[in-house]
């Protein structure tokens, strides 16, 4: 195991009705003028925004509203939010929604206290200062409720990039699994896929002797394999929703990624798909993960065989471990398809003729130097081969 620092100070309020604590939690974490930032309307239709407003009013906290965050959140609304925060002297941003509303809120909090262009942070500058941000999560997926990360798409060029910094870790996150019961099945499945991807991105490591984090990841993957079909069959199953919601947080607050190198090539490859075709991030990952794993499997066949045996229940073929490794990848692919996830680029609305452009933006965009690195280093040719495996 490598040396590491682990800092994860988010306060979590979990369970039925937890959103009623919004006002008192904003107060507790120093907010006195709030921007409520939310998505395309699901939180309005469910009555959640009204309950959040009531909670803030009960705590005597004035607020202003900015809705309209799109999935794969865009830079334009971030600039608008930054202006609004300055104009209204907002000192706390409360995101209500999924990864998109939360990531947009995080970008606003960093930009509101910065003299330059907030996009600097999405071009590699670490985020050191930000207004405090809190979240009320409505979809278990991105893990942004417990992460120091934010992913935004620059409208000029549709470049999707991430920024990071402890300053944008949520001060608190409210997790009420019942709020996820209104999700369309497709979005529930996208969330399950993203959570599993966050686990795999950490599982693919070059660090030896990481038994504790390997076992944590395997436990969370097994949980998703158990609860995923249960929630797809019965969307109102509060207990299944609860397990998935907490697994989604644990998959991405890095408690199971410490002390080991991680991959993230699949995420980088997928981000080009959701940037260009505006598909759901989880849907893009369902197509990306099996292709990447098939391509890089030879780098460490025993690691892929291990997850195949321990998580997918495959029989170990000691004479031919690559057979076991491949069986595990196929089990993942079949599981994601069983949830209703897409199989290939065509299902995502992507055109194979775009592959050269996808590769160029992936490997050259925003100062990259012709390759991406993680579990293995992937050149432009490798990335093109991987996209071709998705056809
Ligand atoms: O906008 P509304 O109307 O709320 O609809 C949303 C949206 O259409 C809907 N939805 C959310 N909660 C709902 C609901 N509909 C009905 N009932 C509810 N309770 O679901 C759709 C997807 O929402 P979104 O926030 O986009 O989903 P998700 O949480 O998957 O976030 C995706 C974004 O997060 C980024 C992705 O790249 C993508 O841009 N990621 C962020 C990460 C991070 N900050 O740490 C890590 C991830 O790997 C990921 O890259
Ligand atoms: Zn993800």
């Amino acid at each position: 195991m490598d040396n590491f620092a682990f800092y994860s100070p988010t306060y979590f309020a979990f369970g039925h009705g937890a959103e009623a604590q919004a006002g008192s939690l904003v107060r507790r974490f120093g907010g006195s003028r709030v921007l409520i930032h939310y998505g395309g309307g699901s939180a309005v239709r469910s009555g959640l925004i009204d309950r959040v407003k009531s909670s803030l009013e009960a705590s005597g906290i004035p607020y202003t509203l900015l809705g309209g965050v799109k999935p794969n959140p865009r830079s334009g609304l971030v600039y608008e939010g930054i202006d609004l925060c300055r104009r209204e002297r907002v000192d706390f941003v409360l995101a209500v929604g999924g990864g998109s509303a939360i990531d947009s809120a995080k970008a606003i909090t960093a930009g509101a206290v910065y003299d330059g262009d907030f996009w600097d942070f999405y071009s590699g500058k670490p985020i050191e200062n930000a207004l405090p941000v809190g979240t009320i999560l409505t979809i278990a997926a991105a893990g942004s409720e417990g992460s120091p990360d934010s992913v935004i798409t620059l409208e000029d060029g549709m470049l999707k990039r991430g920024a990071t910094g402890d300053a944008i870790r949520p001060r608190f996150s409210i997790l009420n699994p019942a709020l996820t019961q209104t999700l369309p099945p497709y979005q529930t499945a996208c969330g399950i896929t993203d959570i599993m991807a966050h686990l795999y991105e950490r599982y693919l490591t070059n660090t030896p002797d990481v038994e504790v984090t390997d076992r944590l990841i395997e436990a969370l993957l097994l949980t998703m394999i158990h609860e995923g079909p249960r929630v797809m069959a019965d969307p109102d199953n509060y207990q299944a929703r609860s397990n998935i919601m907490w697994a989604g947080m644990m998959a991405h607050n890095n408690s199971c990624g410490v002390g080991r190198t991680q991959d993230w090539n699949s995420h980088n490859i997928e981000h080009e798909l959701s940037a260009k075709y505006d598909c759901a991030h989880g849907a893009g990952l369902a197509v990306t993960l099996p292709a990447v794993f098939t391509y890089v499997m030879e780098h460490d066949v025993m690691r892929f065989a291990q997850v195949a045996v321990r998580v997918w229940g495959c029989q170990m073929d000691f004479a031919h471990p690559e057979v076991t490794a491949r069986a595990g990848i196929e089990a993942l692919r079949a599981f994601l398809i069983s949830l209703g996830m897409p199989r290939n680029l065509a299902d995502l609305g992507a055109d194979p003729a775009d592959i050269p452009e996808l590769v160029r933006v992936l490997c050259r965009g925003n100062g990259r130097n012709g390759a991406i690195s993680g579990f293995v280093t992937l050149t432009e040719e490798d990335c093109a081969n991987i996209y071709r495996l998705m056809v």
Side-chain angles (χ1 to χ4, degrees), residues 38-46 48 68-73 96-103 106 137-153 160 163 178-184 187 190-191 194 198 252 264 267 270-271 274 280-282 285:
Y38 58 97
S42 73
V44 175
R45 287 192 299 278
S46 67
L48 176 59
V69 181
K70 292 186 179 145
N72 306 316
V96 182
S100 295
I102 297 172
D103 286 3
K106 287 173 170 178
L137 188 65
T138 64
I139 172 172
S144 192
E145 67 276 13
S147 85
D149 310 312
S150 159
V151 184
I152 300 290
T153 299
K160 190 173 187 183
L179 297 178
T180 67
Q181 287 173 202
T182 53
L183 279 166
Q187 290 296 342
C190 287
D194 194 18
H198 296 161
H252 202 46
W264 301 100
H267 266 67
E270 189 294 314
H271 282 162
S274 45
H281 170 61
L285 284 167

Side-chain angles (χ1 to χ4, degrees), residues 65-237:
L65 292 145
L66 180 64
V69 181
K70 292 186 179 145
N72 306 316
R74 313 293 153 85
S75 50
L77 197 67
V78 173
Y79 289 114
E80 212 178 298
I82 291 169
D83 287 347
L84 188 58
C85 281
R86 289 178 180 158
R87 217 168 45 240
E88 299 287 329
R89 299 189 316 284
V90 162
D91 61 10
F92 197 102
V93 179
L94 181 56
V96 182
S100 295
I102 297 172
D103 286 3
S104 184
K106 287 173 170 178
I108 290 170
T109 62
V113 297
Y114 179 58
D115 283 340
D117 184 342
F118 93 92
W119 192 254
D120 292 348
F121 300 122
Y122 294 76
S123 310
K125 188 180 171 68
I127 300 176
E128 274 158 14
N129 290 308
L131 297 176
V133 61
T135 86
I136 302 178
L137 188 65
T138 64
I139 172 172
S144 192
E145 67 276 13
S147 85
D149 310 312
S150 159
V151 184
I152 300 290
T153 299
L154 185 69
E155 274 152 315
D156 181 10
M158 294 307 272
L159 199 60
K160 190 173 187 183
R161 292 292 183 263
T164 194
D166 283 325
I168 57 168
R169 274 185 187 279
R171 297 296 207 276
F172 68 80
S173 282
I174 292 176
L175 274 54
N176 174 359
L179 297 178
T180 67
Q181 287 173 202
T182 53
L183 279 166
Y186 186 76
Q187 290 296 342
T188 298
C190 287
I192 291 167
T193 307
D194 194 18
I195 292 167
M196 294 178 81
H198 296 161
L199 294 164
Y200 265 98
E201 297 275 23
R202 291 180 166 88
Y203 203 80
L204 297 186
T205 186
N206 294 309
T207 312
D209 294 320
V210 286
E211 190 68 3
V212 63
T213 40
D214 268 3
R215 293 292 187 179
L216 282 171
I217 294 170
E218 290 159 10
L220 291 164
L221 283 171
L222 285 163
T223 302
M224 301 310 292
I225 293 166
H226 178 71
E227 298 293 19
R230 283 214 313 158
V231 82
M232 295 309 290
D234 176 12
D236 292 334
N237 187 327

